[in-house]
Amino acid sequence: MKPVLVVGASVGGSIAACTLRELGVEVVLLERDLNYVKPCGGAVPPLVFSEYHLPESLIDRKVTLAVVASPRQAAEFPVASSHPSDRDFIAMVRREKFDRFIRQRAVQLGATLIEGKFTGMDVTADGVRVTWEDKQRRIQTLDVCAVIGADGAYSAVAKALGLERLPMAVAYQERIRLPEQVMHYWEQRAALYLGDDVSPDLYAWVFPKYDHVAAGIGAGAGKTQQARALLNNLKQRLKDQLGQGESILFEAHHLPMHPRKHLSYERVALIGDAAGLVQATSGEGIYWAMKSGEMAARAIAANLDTPSAAHLRREYDAAWWKRYRPTYTFLQILQRISYNGDIQREIFAAMCQDRDVQRLTFDSYLAKHIEPAPWSIQMKITVHWLATAAREVAAHRFGLPRRPTPQPSRL
Ligand SMILES: Cc1cc2nc3c(=O)[nH]c(=O)nc-3n(C[C@H](O)[C@H](O)[C@H](O)COP(=O)(O)OP(=O)(O)OC[C@H]3O[C@@H](n4cnc5c(N)ncnc54)[C@H](O)[C@@H]3O)c2cc1C
């Protein structure tokens, strides 16, 4: 049996390779640059560690306090689900450490890791002939039975299938080393900032790493040129909390903002960013790349004789959307109604002060599953939302006074 080729040895590709090896399938894992570090905030739900048996030594920080701040108000609340446990935290990882560990595990399980760049493929009835470029820029060929495209937002595998680029947002991030007492403030906090000054249509963030913070901004399609100015505005807004820091790295990358219509094609499956599986509201993509890598690998392993588009769409695409469509749909709607405009952002920040909203947010984030809340809670949240919206619209349109609003805790 020919091997399966996984293109891209980041989080999604490496989990796909591990899964295939665990199922006894031969795997070649092709990575363009083994020293590459994916620009990333590195926030993952703790579920990742139990589901994929990863050691917690990969965690830099356990965030237990969340901050959501609009220009006028801030909600600061504990990371707590409806059933509090010691798993109620957001894990902060550094991709340079996290990705390397999973890739190494794939190799230990028997995957053949090659450093080289995928350049094209020819899909035939009995396999796929892949061309790739080695480090000496020589073109090589490889015959495989199927391909998993785990090669990120600019996927060359998707391009070889004739697919168009997905709509992209840009994410631009600076890593900042802070004096000890300022770092202490961030150790357990992750903060999201809303407002035209820091992000016209998404949000900005500060996430703690082991000895520094990552401060970044996300901005929708066509706003790449504004990224640096938006990040400067964020640092200006947070001059007390970030002002005395030493900049150690700038990093930027695009993020797909919409899933592809199909995840599977004849003998090919796309996963993670290559498939557009990032969550629109949060830009969260690590868990989704890993999970889609696992599910695509299982579907291919079950259909090694004929990994046809029809088989893969039934066992990967359909299974994926059956499980996760409500999550993607809900978060897409949330992004549209929460980030685009001053009034919407103020309503969003105000609603983040609602205990039920906080609990439901962490229930779904930590379990990666959306459960409809009981009717009574839904009614309570709806009434609260309507009252907040009416108050914000009245304040904005007619200049009516607002209630005093909470401010974030200071250093
Ligand atoms: C600034 C920023 C902050 C983010 N913060 C978070 C966060 O806090 N939490 C979160 O969950 N998500 C975050 N994301 C999203 C997350 O980084 C991605 O969703 C995730 O990395 C996708 O994983 P992936 O395996 O699909 O692809 P990627 O991680 O993009 O990896 C693709 C791999 O393919 C390789 N490759 C590309 N082309 C080729 C080729 N032709 N041949 C061979 N190899 C190739 C690349 O070198 C790379 O190793 C952030 C993204 C950005 C840009």
Side-chain angles (χ1 to χ4, degrees):
M1 182 57 80
K2 292 173 195 158
V4 173
L5 174 71
V6 180
V7 182
S10 172
V11 280
S14 297
I15 287 291
C18 290
T19 308
L20 286 164
R21 285 304 302 139
E22 281 161 359
L23 296 168
V25 179
E26 289 303 312
V27 188
V28 176
L29 184 54
L30 182 68
E31 169 55 47
R32 187 180 51 183
D33 179 358
L34 290 174
N35 293 317
Y36 174 70
V37 177
K38 176 71 201 289
C40 191
V44 287
L47 181 78
V48 158
F49 294 84
S50 45
E51 268 191 35
Y52 295 104
H53 309 291
L54 299 174
E56 292 209 356
S57 55
L58 294 171
I59 301 176
D60 273 354
R61 298 275 174 205
K62 291 185 176 178
V63 164
T64 52
L65 266 182
V67 178
V68 176
S70 65
R72 292 200 54 260
Q73 58 195 309
E76 187 170 66
F77 47 98
V79 176
S81 63
S82 299
H83 308 286
S85 81
D86 62 356
R87 311 306 291 159
D88 285 5
F89 63 87
I90 304 169
M92 293 291 166
V93 300
R94 267 169 301 148
R95 296 291 296 269
E96 47 271 46
K97 206 170 145 196
F98 190 71
D99 294 20
R100 202 167 295 147
F101 182 91
I102 307 173
R103 182 186 299 163
Q104 200 50 40
R105 176 176 286 173
V107 172
Q108 281 160 3
L109 287 168
T112 305
L113 177 63
I114 300 179
E115 190 166 26
K117 182 174 147 194
F118 170 96
T119 53
M121 64 185 172
D122 190 12
V123 180
T124 62
D126 62 347
V128 188
R129 172 153 289 196
V130 172
T131 51
W132 59 279
E133 194 181 276
D134 68 17
K135 290 310 269 182
Q136 286 72 43
R137 312 206 69 183
R138 291 175 304 219
I139 295 294
Q140 312 273 0
T141 59
L142 184 67
D143 288 313
V144 297
C145 105
V147 173
I148 294 183
D151 50 346
Y154 318 124
S155 174
V157 176
K159 193 170 171 207
L161 288 168
L163 303 176
E164 290 192 352
R165 274 262 173 106
L166 290 166
M168 300 275 182
V170 66
Y172 182 54
Q173 172 172 282
E174 181 176 353
R175 302 222 206 165
I176 306 173
R177 189 166 290 129
L178 297 168
E180 206 174 317
Q181 83 282 10
V182 192
M183 188 63 213
H184 186 63
Y185 170 83
W186 287 112
E187 270 165 13
Q188 293 184 323
R189 275 189 180 80
L192 303 189
Y193 297 92
L194 308 172
D196 267 337
D197 57 332
V198 294
S199 178
D201 41 16
L202 291 167
Y203 66 88
W205 66 88
V206 179
F207 291 168
K209 304 279 176 180
Y210 80 120
D211 68 346
H212 62 272
V213 295
I217 64 92
K223 304 199 176 72
T224 305
Q225 302 300 326
Q226 297 173 35
R228 188 176 279 269
L230 295 169
L231 184 58
N232 285 339
N233 293 345
L234 175 67
K235 287 166 67 183
Q236 186 57 32
R237 220 206 255 190
L238 297 177
K239 53 181 184 299
D240 292 347
Q241 287 102 325
L242 298 179
Q244 310 143 52
E246 175 204 353
S247 174
I248 49 176
L249 182 69
F250 284 95
E251 39 193 359
H253 206 277
H254 281 107
L255 282 164
M257 282 285 94
H258 208 282
R260 291 195 183 276
K261 184 166 175 225
H262 297 297
L263 311 180
S264 303
Y265 303 82
E266 205 60 27
R267 293 186 176 273
V268 181
L270 298 176
I271 67 157
D273 283 18
L277 296 176
V278 175
Q279 292 296 351
T281 328
S282 57
E284 188 200 0
I286 299 174
Y287 178 80
W288 305 103
M290 293 167 83
K291 196 70 199 171
S292 56
E294 179 203 326
M295 286 175 68
R298 287 188 189 286
I300 287 181
N303 292 281
L304 275 184
D305 291 337
T306 45
S308 65
H311 283 139
L312 298 181
R313 280 183 191 166
R314 197 176 55 231
E315 289 181 37
Y316 169 39
D317 298 35
W320 180 266
W321 290 121
K322 185 168 176 223
R323 205 153 159 183
Y324 297 122
R325 172 117 27 224
T327 307
Y328 279 82
T329 307
F330 174 74
L331 291 175
Q332 257 162 11
I333 294 170
L334 193 65
Q335 190 219 341
R336 280 190 208 125
I337 62 173
S338 305
Y339 296 161
N340 289 314
D342 290 339
I343 299 178
Q344 288 90 325
R345 293 182 195 116
E346 293 302 338
I347 297 170
F348 182 69
M351 288 307 291
C352 285
Q353 288 155 35
D354 183 306
R355 297 288 302 154
D356 291 320
V357 170
Q358 294 167 7
R359 271 195 293 267
L360 291 175
T361 303
F362 287 118
D363 284 352
S364 65
Y365 175 77
L366 295 168
K368 291 292 165 256
H369 181 66
I370 287 195
E371 276 288 334
W375 277 106
S376 56
I377 304 277
Q378 289 191 34
M379 288 301 292
K380 242 171 91 188
I381 291 176
T382 307
V383 169
H384 188 181
W385 189 89
L386 288 171
T388 308
R391 209 171 50 233
E392 284 301 328
V393 170
H396 199 82
R397 294 266 157 80
F398 311 115
L400 295 184
R402 293 173 160 106
R403 277 205 212 140
T405 48
Q407 294 301 316
S409 55
R410 314 297 290 182
L411 277 173

